[in-house]
């Protein structure tokens, strides 16, 4: 169990540090129903991340990933492929970074956040948590790590819970700061939003590069 937690924690950190989901949470805290919208978005994000990982673990659990098996080598090849995808994503993020003095662009769907209601915030949270390609790639790697350990059901559920808890810390942080500091949180959140937006490409490039190397290393070791 400890080895599994050690393997999935870095992957969960890759999810929690993602700037775009955090920026969306910050923007929701400046809507007409800030706490309700932000809490709904967070709940949806949790459900999305947990749901996708549970499905991936269930799928991986149907395959024999024990050491020395053909499927185990297949899992190593999969890790190599995921690492290669993250390397490609790192290159794409680096090339798309804003030039000095240029303002970073945000996804078009963020333009309508000011008019979000809790229901829509929940749906968007589920979508971002579940359908973000990076979350899926990292989730596959985490599912392989969990399934290959042949843990009992209770420990599998515990590993998923630990992964989800760490993965959602970044999105939860703005809401926690707002609840703890009230109106004083606005200046902090503004500075977070500005920094994350301008440095999104750089942050994601570094994350993708680090975890690409980790996955490729594990894949090579398992072949």
């Amino acid at each position: 169990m400890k080895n599994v937690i050690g393997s999935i924690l870095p992957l969960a950190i890759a999810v929690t540090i993602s700037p775009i989901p955090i920026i969306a949470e910050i923007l929701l805290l400046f809507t007409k129903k800030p706490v309700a919208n932000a809490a709904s978005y967070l709940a949806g994000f949790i459900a999305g991340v947990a749901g996708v990982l549970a499905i991936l673990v269930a799928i991986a659990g149907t395959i024999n990933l024990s050491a020395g098996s053909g499927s185990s080598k297949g899992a190593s090849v999969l890790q190599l492929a995921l690492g290669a995808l993250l390397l490609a994503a790192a290159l794409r993020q680096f090339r798309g970074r804003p030039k000095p003095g240029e303002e970073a662009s945000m996804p078009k769907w963020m333009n309508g956040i000011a008019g979000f209601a809790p229901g829509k915030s929940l749906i968007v949270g589920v979508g971002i948590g579940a359908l973000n390609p990076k979350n899926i790639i990292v989730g596959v790697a985490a599912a392989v790590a969990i399934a290959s350990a042949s843990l009992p059901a209770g420990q599998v559920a515990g590993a998923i819970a630990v992964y989800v808890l760490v993965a959602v810390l970044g999105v939860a942080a703005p809401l926690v700061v707002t609840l703890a500091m009230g109106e004083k949180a606005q200046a902090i959140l503004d500075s977070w939003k500005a920094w994350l937006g301008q440095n999104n490409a750089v942050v994601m490039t570094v994350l993708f590069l680090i975890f690409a190397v980790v996955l490729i290393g594990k894949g090579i070791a398992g072949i």
Side-chain angles (χ1 to χ4, degrees), residues 4 6 18 25-26 38 47 54 61 64-66 75 86 93-94 96 113 120-121 124 130 135 144 161 189 199:
V4 172
S18 302
E25 176 80 335
I26 293 173
N64 177 19
L65 298 177
S66 58
L86 288 178
Q93 287 287 336
F94 183 75
I113 278 186
K120 187 169 184 179
S121 299
V124 170
N135 289 0
V144 169
L189 296 180
N199 294 281

Side-chain angles (χ1 to χ4, degrees), residues 111-126:
N111 295 333
I113 278 186
F116 276 21
K120 187 169 184 179
S121 299
L122 177 69
I123 294 171
V124 170
V126 172

